[in-house]
Amino acid sequence: ELIEKSKKLAAFAAVNENVSKSDRIIGVGSGSTVVYVAERLGQLENKEKFICIPTSFQSKQLILDNGLRLGNVEEFDEIDVAFDGADEIDTNLNLIKGGGAALYQEKLVASLSRKFVVVADFRKQSPERLGHFWRKGVPIEVVPNSYVKVLKDLFKLGANSATLRDAGKAKAGPVVTDNGNFVIDADFGEIPLNKVKELDEKLIRLVGVVETGFFVDYAEKAYIGNEDGSITSLS
Ligand code: DER
């Protein structure tokens, strides 16, 4: 339906416009929008030359399912271009990620990428008028045995709420990321966009925090599929 269509439009446009003849090492993100990125990459006539770096087990499956060559992040100190989704994209191209509990590996790949391109449907763009992220929560990946301490730290830092992400029906107990970590969802209310970096730096310094879902100054471009079938491209 509309949302899926807009994801596909954004993903295909992003791949068509950002994979150049010389690009070989390609980062593949996680989530439901990058499904279409992998599909498009698999359709390109020179797909054999690509080595695709995954950001999760799901991402690995996308690479293999589309007949693309799987590479390891340990093999490359630079990725030509990476594509990933986001939970929210603000007017400065800062992101909230982590909805899929893959944020550490996603950030690792993004940090190695010369070009980081975000693809999303229309639900993900922060309304310009707000001046803060529309979503009030940020996912934080933590070392499992630190979660009680980090929860307390987050409340001391002013969080309105902080909860360990539960796996629900998928398994008894908390969500465990593909890197063996837990995820805490912390709500700091309306953070003005010019305060996100400051908060992120405090969060990242907490002992036990692996990475946060704030991707500040990572994305170079974003492709957002709109309800009317048009595409908004931000850079
Ligand atoms: O976990 C993440 O950051 C993913 O990129 C994810 O949140 C994007 O979600 P979607 O593409 O399924 O909307």
Side-chain angles (χ1 to χ4, degrees):
E1 91 289 355
L2 256 188
I3 293 178
E4 284 310 306
K5 194 168 166 297
S6 73
K7 289 179 185 179
K8 182 167 184 173
L9 278 170
F12 273 49
V15 171
N16 294 342
E17 293 176 22
N18 292 281
V19 178
S20 69
K21 285 268 166 280
S22 56
D23 289 336
R24 275 186 61 240
I25 317 300
I26 301 185
V28 174
S30 302
S32 62
T33 309
V34 286
V35 168
Y36 299 108
V37 166
E39 181 185 330
R40 184 61 190 136
L41 289 169
Q43 295 171 350
L44 300 183
E45 75 287 345
N46 51 357
K47 67 189 255 188
E48 281 72 30
K49 73 167 192 173
F50 297 143
I51 299 176
C52 295
I53 311 300
T55 52
S56 65
F57 292 128
Q58 180 232 353
S59 170
K60 271 187 186 169
Q61 290 174 314
L62 292 182
I63 292 165
L64 297 173
D65 291 351
N66 287 281
L68 295 161
R69 199 167 135 205
L70 181 63
N72 297 306
V73 68
E74 296 93 328
E75 293 172 271
F76 302 97
D77 54 9
E78 190 171 64
I79 292 169
D80 295 319
V81 58
F83 299 90
D84 204 345
D87 299 313
E88 186 166 346
I89 306 165
D90 82 6
T91 42
N92 307 323
L93 277 184
N94 291 323
L95 314 174
I96 292 182
K97 285 176 63 52
L103 67 101
Y104 157 70
Q105 212 170 325
E106 289 172 329
K107 200 177 261 191
L108 176 67
V109 167
S111 69
L112 291 169
S113 304
R114 274 192 301 109
K115 188 197 274 191
F116 184 60
V117 179
V118 178
V119 290
D121 64 74
F122 50 85
R123 296 169 301 166
K124 305 304 187 70
Q125 192 172 10
S126 309
E128 181 103 17
R129 70 184 182 290
L130 281 185
H132 58 75
F133 278 117
W134 177 70
R135 268 170 185 67
K136 303 276 181 296
V138 60
I140 302 171
E141 187 155 342
V142 303
V143 179
N145 67 1
S146 74
Y147 87 90
V148 173
K149 172 219 175 270
V150 174
L151 284 170
K152 286 194 186 98
D153 292 341
L154 292 170
F155 282 108
K156 278 187 218 149
L157 279 178
N160 303 323
S161 73
T163 48
L164 182 65
R165 192 178 294 180
D166 191 75
K169 293 191 176 61
K171 79 184 263 292
V175 164
V176 179
T177 74
D178 298 351
N179 293 88
N181 297 314
F182 286 174
V183 177
I184 289 174
D185 291 293
D187 169 0
F188 285 91
E190 295 178 356
I191 314 158
L193 296 180
N194 61 359
K195 294 273 186 251
V196 172
K197 206 173 181 108
E198 185 185 320
L199 173 60
D200 194 35
E201 279 156 7
K202 286 186 190 142
L203 294 174
I204 203 74
R205 270 206 301 272
L206 298 172
V207 172
V209 169
V210 175
E211 280 300 336
T212 74
F214 286 132
F215 280 50
V216 177
D217 295 335
Y218 276 85
E220 181 175 319
K221 294 174 93 168
Y223 288 75
I224 297 166
N226 298 314
E227 288 176 275
D228 63 4
S230 66
I231 296 166
T232 302
S233 110
L234 306 168
S235 54

